[in-house]
């Protein structure tokens, strides 16, 4: 079964994407400055601590990698403690999410269906219990959806027997960033991506050499951001503390690795 959509007019795609972004942007602009959820101040406080000289994992506890925290710290360092700037950043995030979802759906469905899917999908994200448009989960969503987008592009190339496609590199790269924002969800996506590549080896009847080249390319692209962050944290003498917090402390907080990987089976 092939998923390749019919060739579409580039102008129709452009206007479809623009309509989806505008619809989501209007909703986000209407809501972005309403209320003040208690969860909103967490990362501003972390940023303040870092800018005051405190060191993550050493001077205060944190159960994720510091990628998102450093991002918020950088914004605050440039613009100061301006809540409006962070909320505008949240509007940009939601518009970017809309674009990524639209581009992904548009590879399979019509432009009109992709617009409806993108807008309703992002509106669904906004139906959660609190409104922090720039929350770390939303940044995680960007990398998660980009991972899925390049995964889809890779599959479409595989269907055309293009096993040397470079798109698998971006699939691995964005999976790595997904993992570095929220390691439990990103780790699951990475784990099942490996299984999917293995499944594809049998489905497309690849030779062992083809399979290994694709797997190595994916693993190498995944490793690049992880290694770079590891070097930065090693230079700051907090790499061991980060590993202990992110892998052991976070797993204990979630009930252990077995619970994390397989609780969804018993829940459903």
């Amino acid at each position: 079964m092939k998923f390749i959509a019919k060739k579409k007019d580039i102008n129709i795609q452009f206007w479809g994407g623009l309509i989806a972004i505008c619809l989501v942007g209007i909703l986000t602009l209407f809501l972005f400055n309403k209320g003040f959820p208690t969860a909103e101040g967490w990362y501003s406080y972390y940023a303040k601590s870092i800018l005051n000289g405190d060191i993550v994992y050493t001077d205060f506890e944190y159960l994720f990698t510091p990628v998102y925290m450093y991002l918020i710290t950088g914004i605050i360092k440039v613009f100061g403690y301006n809540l409006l700037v962070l909320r505008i950043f949240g509007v940009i995030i939601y518009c970017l999410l809309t674009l990524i979802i639209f581009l992904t759906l548009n590879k399979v469905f019509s432009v009109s269906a992709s617009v409806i899917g993108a807008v309703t999908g992002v509106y669904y994200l906004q139906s959660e219990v609190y409104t922090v448009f720039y929350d770390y989960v939303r940044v995680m969503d960007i990398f998660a959806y980009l991972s899925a987008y390049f995964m889809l592009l890779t599959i479409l190339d595989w269907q055309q027997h293009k096993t040397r496609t470079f798109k698998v590199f971006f699939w691995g790269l964005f999976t790595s960033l997904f993992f570095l924002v929220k390691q439990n969800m990103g780790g699951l996506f990475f784990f099942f991506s490996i299984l999917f590549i293995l499944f594809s080896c049998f489905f497309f009847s690849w030779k062992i050499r083809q399979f290994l080249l694709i797997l190595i390319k994916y693993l190498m692209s995944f490793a690049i951001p992880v290694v770079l962050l590891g070097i930065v944290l090693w230079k700051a003498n907090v790499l061991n503390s980060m590993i202990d917090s992110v892998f052991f402390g976070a797993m204990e907080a979630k009930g252990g690795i077995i619970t994390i990987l397989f609780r969804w089976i018993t829940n459903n």
Side-chain angles (χ1 to χ4, degrees):
M1 179 180 179
K2 293 194 174 184
F3 298 100
I4 301 176
K6 294 179 181 179
K7 189 174 181 180
K8 305 181 184 74
D9 187 285
I10 190 68
N11 290 327
I12 296 176
Q13 294 181 73
F14 171 80
W15 287 109
L18 185 61
I19 289 169
I21 291 171
C22 288
L23 289 173
V24 170
I26 290 169
L27 175 72
T28 313
L29 285 170
F30 178 75
L31 295 174
F32 87 116
N33 214 24
K34 307 284 186 183
F36 187 23
T38 55
E40 187 168 7
W42 292 351
Y43 285 93
S44 295
Y45 177 79
Y46 289 143
K48 180 181 178 181
S49 298
I50 291 173
L51 293 174
N52 286 339
D54 290 343
I55 300 174
V56 61
Y57 308 117
T58 301
D59 295 316
F60 59 91
E61 187 177 8
Y62 190 60
L63 297 180
F64 299 105
T65 69
V67 171
Y68 176 77
M69 186 190 303
Y70 287 165
L71 173 63
I72 297 300
T73 302
I75 293 173
I76 289 177
K77 185 175 179 61
V78 173
F79 296 100
Y81 295 98
N82 191 329
L83 189 62
L84 184 61
V85 170
L86 289 173
R87 291 186 174 189
I88 291 173
F89 175 57
V91 175
I92 296 171
I93 286 175
Y94 263 72
C95 290
L96 183 57
L97 285 172
T98 306
L99 177 61
I100 297 168
I101 296 173
F102 172 80
L103 291 174
T104 304
L105 295 176
N106 196 44
K107 287 294 177 182
V108 181
F109 303 106
S110 66
V111 172
S112 56
S114 301
V115 171
I116 294 171
V119 173
T120 55
V122 175
Y123 280 13
Y124 174 77
L125 288 177
Q126 187 44 46
S127 68
E128 294 177 337
V129 293
Y130 62 86
T131 307
V132 182
F133 291 100
Y134 60 92
D135 187 75
Y136 79 96
V137 176
R138 298 288 81 91
V139 174
M140 178 199 75
D141 287 338
I142 288 178
F143 296 131
Y145 298 162
L146 283 171
S147 301
Y149 175 65
F150 282 101
M151 179 182 182
L152 176 60
L153 294 182
T154 302
I155 295 168
L156 295 177
D157 279 354
W158 287 346
Q159 288 185 333
Q160 300 179 65
H161 309 291
K162 298 177 182 177
T163 56
R164 294 180 180 271
T165 176
F166 69 93
K167 293 161 189 171
V168 70
F169 175 85
F170 292 102
W171 175 10
L173 185 69
F174 286 115
T175 302
S176 182
L177 294 172
F178 180 9
F179 170 78
L180 290 177
V181 175
K182 198 168 191 286
Q183 70 270 14
N184 55 347
M185 300 299 295
L188 283 172
F189 188 87
F190 172 72
F191 175 74
F192 287 113
S193 292
I194 297 296
L195 290 182
F196 185 83
I197 294 173
L198 179 61
F199 166 80
S200 299
C201 177
F202 295 103
F203 184 82
F204 292 108
S205 301
W206 292 334
K207 296 178 181 178
I208 295 297
R209 183 173 177 272
Q210 288 176 302
F211 166 71
L212 290 177
L213 286 174
I214 290 170
L215 183 62
I216 290 171
K217 189 183 296 184
Y218 179 79
L219 292 175
M220 287 181 63
S221 59
F222 180 89
I224 290 172
V226 175
V227 171
L228 290 176
L229 178 65
I231 292 172
V232 170
L233 296 177
W234 176 69
K235 290 281 188 180
N237 295 317
V238 294
L239 180 59
N240 291 334
S241 299
M242 188 274 289
I243 292 173
D244 185 59
S245 296
V246 167
F247 292 101
F248 299 105
M251 279 193 280
E252 290 174 6
K254 294 289 185 179
I257 187 65
I258 300 300
T259 300
I260 293 170
L261 288 176
F262 303 108
R263 183 174 55 187
W264 63 272
I265 298 175
T266 57
N267 287 348
N268 290 284

